[in-house]
Amino acid sequence: MRIILPILALALVAGCSSTKDLAESLNTRQNAGACPPVGSVYDAARIVEFRDGSDELYSDIRYTGEITDVRSFCRYTGDNPLSAELEIDFAFGKGPLADANTHDFGYWVAVTRRNGKVLAKEYYTVTAKFDGNSPLDGTMQTIDRITIPRADETIAGTNFEILVGFDLSEQELEFNRAGKRFRMDAGS
């Protein structure tokens, strides 16, 4: 019995050590493949809000917004789902008809297949905060967890895309598609 107890204790310690090694190896293992491409949709990457009934003149601008960069960090191994985190950079402008030093902008994040089929789409809000008389603001938002299920380990992240865009009205979308553009920081 005296010989069995030390061997049992040694086996338990070794078991804990191998569990710890396994957990550490999962954190350092390479992804099974590349992360999904990310970016903003060209037609929805900017927004110009005019006063109602405007002729789309610079003097009628309330607020502008632009998605300036999107970055992702992802993790997946074996046949586990793909987990991604996004960082989205925004730039905002306050136009001549702005009525407050803060303004909320709606935007969306969509996960699609590479063929364009939308698998999931979530809506978010970002707030522009203009200090004092400054007509410009910028901020970065983080989306903590995007989970993309994979059928098996042969499905790589490159089979998906993560897209970001402003939640636009039909008029705002038409303005963007026509190639019109006003930026509050033009000339600075």
Side-chain angles (χ1 to χ4, degrees), residues 157-187:
T158 54
N159 290 301
F160 307 97
E161 292 179 318
I162 302 174
L163 303 173
V164 179
F166 283 107
D167 190 20
L168 302 174
S169 68
E170 285 299 318
Q171 294 82 10
E172 292 163 340
L173 186 58
E174 185 178 310
F175 180 87
N176 287 352
R177 287 182 174 162
K180 300 175 185 177
R181 187 169 183 96
F182 285 113
R183 291 182 65 169
M184 297 312 299
D185 61 349

Side-chain angles (χ1 to χ4, degrees), residues 15-157:
C16 291
S17 174
S18 65
T19 302
K20 180 182 173 195
D21 293 340
L22 175 63
E24 287 177 1
S25 72
L26 289 176
N27 289 334
T28 59
R29 276 185 15 196
Q30 292 287 348
N31 275 350
C35 288
V38 297
S40 56
V41 176
Y42 179 77
D43 290 348
R46 58 194 170 87
I47 185 170
V48 178
E49 294 182 6
F50 293 98
R51 74 169 165 80
D52 292 338
S54 170
D55 290 328
E56 297 178 349
L57 301 173
Y58 179 82
S59 58
D60 292 336
I61 295 174
R62 296 179 61 237
Y63 298 95
T64 66
E66 189 169 357
I67 298 168
T68 58
D69 195 16
V70 183
R71 296 171 300 282
S72 75
F73 309 93
C74 79
R75 182 83 180 125
Y76 63 105
T77 58
D79 61 353
N80 294 328
L82 188 151
S83 296
E85 178 181 292
L86 288 185
E87 290 180 350
I88 308 164
D89 291 334
F90 294 93
F92 303 110
K94 185 168 73 166
L97 293 184
D99 54 5
N101 283 332
T102 63
H103 187 71
D104 291 337
F105 292 87
Y107 71 98
W108 48 262
V109 175
V111 175
T112 68
R113 290 201 185 277
R114 291 301 294 263
N115 65 6
K117 180 182 178 186
V118 176
L119 301 175
K121 189 174 185 180
E122 295 288 329
Y123 291 86
Y124 300 90
T125 301
V126 60
T127 301
K129 297 176 184 171
F130 303 99
D131 293 329
N133 292 328
S134 175
L136 303 176
D137 181 44
T139 191
M140 190 258 308
Q141 287 234 296
T142 301
I143 307 298
D144 290 329
R145 190 79 161 180
I146 296 173
T147 302
I148 305 171
R150 299 182 305 136
D152 57 48
E153 62 187 35
T154 64
I155 307 296

